[in-house]
């Protein structure tokens, strides 16, 4: 593999400071130390820059003219996350015509219906695997519905999604090669599948995002077939695991802090601010990356043109210079200017959908169940992908109200 490709894969390689099970599972004390000792530092092993303070992470994410999102990844295709202006604005404006706030809000009844069905299936048992039974199926079904995918193919979508965000454990060429091969196959299978759906929608439009993307037009410009397919794949990969992590991380907090269950259940108006605090406290995505477009000096460090820069959102979200009592979960924290959804032109397009799914999920969960606890003797392990922050499984017990 070329050096350039290894540079750009930096964010999916674990930092040496997180090389133990304990620090990998709970990296926040490590971030505290790095913020104080080396807020902007070059990591020789990962061949990239790391940025940890809120002010600097915010700067890197919003200054698209200095830090580019156009990166070579394991599988080299363009999408909105890896695109700079002016094409980024053209694409985003077109996608926004199909992904409007009203279109998202109109999904609320369907999201509630899906949530109710999933909770009905586990209600009498008094236990569930939070991910497999609830936090994973919910966003997968929502996205599948948006793309016009039939129920029998949802499990395929989950498999493809997991592969597309898969990371590597070791910084070795053979590890990259194995994951790259797997991702290429998954993308090809997913692209072929979605191309068939797209052709069906072209002939017979439905009330789904694929049909809306086909119809979207600004000043005579429409999305190409390739662009629609790329956005659809981005929607799956970016919207599935992140929302799964958001919901699971929220339940994890509720089990770690049982008093919150009672407080929020008695006042569901707290759910929106609770969701924002979950996003800050246990962010589903830890560290987006950029490439320097020119030489940049940041805290007396010279970042050279072409260098990879990893913006540690998970560290920035606990910067004491920005957040009071940053290591406490404050359910009604205001303001809460976390950076979990990014900043500037690359602010997450799917943020309203993720927030809505999480809001409905927590409202229904806390209305129906109480005494949520981690299942006794459960082995809780963090997900493999270093850029994500979630767990592999989270089995819980509960009582119906």
């Amino acid at each position: 593999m070329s050096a350039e490709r290894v540079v750009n894969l930096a964010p999916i390689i674990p930092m040496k400071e997180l090389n133990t099970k304990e620090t990998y599972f709970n990296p926040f004390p490590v971030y505290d130390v790095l913020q104080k000792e080396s807020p902007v530092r070059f990591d020789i092993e990962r061949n990239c820059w790391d940025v940890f303070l809120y002010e600097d992470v915010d700067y890197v994410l919003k200054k698209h003219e200095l830090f580019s999102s156009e990166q070579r990844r394991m599988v080299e295709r363009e999408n909105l996350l890896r695109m700079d202006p002016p094409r980024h604005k053209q694409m985003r404006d077109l996608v926004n015509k199909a992904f409007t706030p009203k279109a998202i809000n109109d999904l609320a009844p369907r999201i509630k219906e899906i949530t109710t069905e999933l909770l009905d299936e586990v209600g009498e048992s008094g236990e569930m695997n939070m991910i497999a039974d609830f936090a994973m199926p919910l966003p997968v079904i929502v996205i599948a519905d948006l793309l016009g995918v039939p129920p029998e193919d949802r499990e395929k979508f989950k498999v493809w999604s997991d592969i597309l965000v898969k990371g590597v454990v070791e910084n070795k060429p053979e590890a990259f090669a194995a994951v790259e091969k797997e991702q290429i196959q998954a993308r090809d299978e997913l692209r072929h599948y979605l191309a068939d759906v797209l052709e069906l929608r072209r002939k017979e439009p439905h009330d789904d995002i694929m049909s809306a993307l086909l119809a979207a037009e600004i000043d005579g410009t429409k999305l190409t077939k390739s662009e629609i397919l790329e956005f659809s794949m981005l929607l799956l990969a970016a919207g599935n695991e992140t929302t799964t992590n958001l919901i699971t991380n929220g339940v994890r907090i509720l089990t770690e802090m049982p008093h919150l269950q009672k407080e929020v259940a008695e006042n569901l108006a707290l759910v929106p601010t609770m969701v924002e605090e979950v996003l800050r406290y246990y962010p589903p995505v830890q560290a987006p990356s950029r490439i320097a477009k020119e030489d940049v000096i940041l805290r007396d460090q010279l970042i050279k043109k072409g260098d990879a820069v990893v913006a540690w959102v998970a560290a920035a979200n606990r910067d004491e210079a920005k957040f009071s009592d940053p290591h406490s979960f404050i359910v009604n924290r205001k303001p809460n200017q976390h950076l979990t959804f990014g900043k500037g032109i690359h602010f997450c397009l799917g943020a309203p959908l993720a927030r809505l799914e999480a809001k409905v999920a927590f409202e229904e969960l806390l209305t129906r169940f109480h005494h949520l606890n981690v299942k006794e003797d459960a082995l809780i392990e963090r997900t493999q992908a270093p850029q994500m922050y979630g767990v592999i499984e989270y089995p819980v017990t509960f009582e119906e109200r």
Side-chain angles (χ1 to χ4, degrees):
M1 300 183 74
S2 70
E4 181 183 11
R5 291 177 74 108
V6 172
V7 165
N8 291 331
L9 289 169
I12 65 168
I13 304 168
M15 291 195 298
K16 61 181 179 294
E17 290 87 355
L18 304 179
N19 61 1
T20 68
K21 186 174 180 179
E22 180 181 354
T23 55
Y24 191 60
F25 190 80
N26 180 23
F28 304 103
V30 175
Y31 298 151
D32 269 359
V33 173
L34 292 171
Q35 283 181 332
K36 292 176 175 63
E37 296 183 354
S38 53
V40 177
R41 62 91 184 264
F42 187 77
D43 187 325
I44 295 175
E45 291 183 11
R46 292 160 53 245
N47 200 18
C48 70
W49 290 90
D50 290 309
V51 179
F52 298 104
L53 293 174
Y54 185 99
E55 181 181 3
D56 300 335
V57 171
D58 180 78
Y59 183 79
V60 169
L61 293 180
K62 72 184 179 185
K63 289 289 184 179
H64 62 86
E65 67 274 19
L66 297 178
F67 300 97
S68 172
S69 289
E70 289 189 342
Q71 303 178 33
R72 295 179 65 186
R73 304 295 290 168
M74 282 189 174
V75 183
E76 298 176 17
R77 294 190 186 273
E78 278 194 323
N79 64 46
L80 275 170
L81 292 180
R82 303 294 170 196
M83 190 181 293
D84 283 342
R87 187 55 182 148
H88 174 273
K89 184 179 186 306
Q90 294 169 339
M91 272 281 290
R92 187 156 181 137
D93 286 349
L94 281 166
V95 169
N96 272 328
K97 286 180 72 69
F99 220 62
T100 63
K102 181 181 184 304
I104 299 302
N105 289 331
D106 286 348
L107 294 173
R110 176 58 179 149
I111 293 172
K112 185 173 181 178
E113 180 184 5
I114 296 167
T115 301
T116 300
E117 291 173 358
L118 292 171
L119 295 180
D120 282 346
E121 292 179 8
V122 298
E124 292 184 2
S125 68
E127 62 181 56
M128 65 172 150
N129 183 328
M130 182 51 59
I131 294 176
D133 294 332
F134 186 60
M136 180 273 286
L138 177 57
V140 169
I141 294 171
V142 171
I143 292 171
D145 281 359
L146 281 172
L147 296 176
V149 174
E152 60 267 24
D153 290 340
R154 289 169 185 162
E155 188 55 37
K156 289 183 188 177
F157 265 53
K158 172 58 180 170
V159 173
W160 286 324
S161 176
D162 286 346
I163 293 172
L164 292 177
V165 297
K166 189 174 183 179
V168 295
V169 177
E170 297 180 285
N171 186 12
K172 294 181 179 179
E174 56 268 29
F176 287 117
V179 174
E180 181 172 20
K181 182 179 179 181
E182 198 175 1
Q183 289 187 327
I184 289 173
Q185 181 179 344
R187 286 186 64 94
D188 286 346
E189 291 174 0
L190 177 57
R191 190 179 180 86
H192 180 75
Y193 179 93
L194 290 173
D196 289 343
V197 175
L198 184 61
E199 288 310 307
L200 290 173
R201 294 299 176 267
R202 197 185 301 276
K203 296 172 184 175
E204 187 179 344
H206 285 201
D207 185 19
D208 56 37
I209 195 74
M210 197 77 87
S211 300
L213 290 170
L214 278 167
E217 182 176 335
I218 292 179
D219 296 331
T221 300
K222 301 188 76 169
L223 291 167
T224 66
K225 175 181 177 180
S226 178
E227 288 168 340
I228 293 174
L229 292 176
E230 285 304 311
F231 176 73
S232 299
M233 287 190 282
L234 171 64
L235 186 63
L236 171 62
N240 175 10
E241 183 166 3
T242 51
T243 306
T244 296
N245 287 349
L246 168 57
I247 294 170
T248 307
N249 289 348
V251 172
R252 180 181 160 192
I253 290 166
L254 289 172
T255 58
E256 291 172 348
M257 309 171 193
H259 68 279
L260 282 175
Q261 295 183 36
K262 187 173 185 295
E263 182 180 357
V264 180
E266 291 177 351
N267 182 9
L268 292 178
L270 288 171
V271 170
T273 55
M274 173 190 159
V275 170
E276 296 307 308
E277 186 68 339
V278 173
L279 286 162
R280 183 195 72 85
Y281 193 81
Y282 283 161
V285 178
Q286 290 205 96
S289 60
R290 299 289 187 265
I291 300 295
K293 297 175 74 170
E294 58 185 70
D295 290 358
V296 180
I297 295 177
L298 197 59
R299 296 199 184 270
D300 297 325
Q301 299 291 323
L302 175 60
I303 300 173
K304 294 184 178 179
K305 180 179 179 180
D307 284 354
V309 182
V310 181
W312 286 92
V313 164
N317 283 352
R318 299 215 186 182
D319 188 340
E320 61 185 13
K322 181 67 178 180
F323 300 96
S324 61
D325 199 6
H327 295 297
S328 293
F329 186 93
I330 301 173
V331 70
N332 59 347
R333 182 185 292 272
K334 287 184 180 181
N336 192 346
Q337 296 174 309
H338 62 76
L339 296 173
T340 299
F341 286 129
K343 196 72 178 282
I345 66 169
H346 287 290
F347 184 82
C348 178
L349 188 68
L353 178 58
R355 283 173 163 137
L356 178 60
E357 289 176 317
K359 176 179 179 291
V360 173
F362 290 125
E363 285 175 348
E364 295 303 304
L365 192 67
L366 291 169
T367 297
R368 296 186 55 169
F369 303 149
H370 63 150
H371 297 158
L372 282 160
N373 290 293
V374 182
K375 199 169 182 180
E376 193 172 344
D377 299 325
L379 179 62
I380 309 300
E381 295 184 354
R382 244 200 70 184
T383 185
Q384 182 183 4
Q387 78 273 28
M388 309 299 286
Y389 189 74
V391 293
I392 297 172
E393 292 183 347
Y394 205 73
V396 297
T397 60
F398 55 82
E399 294 178 16
E400 288 193 280
R401 291 188 184 275

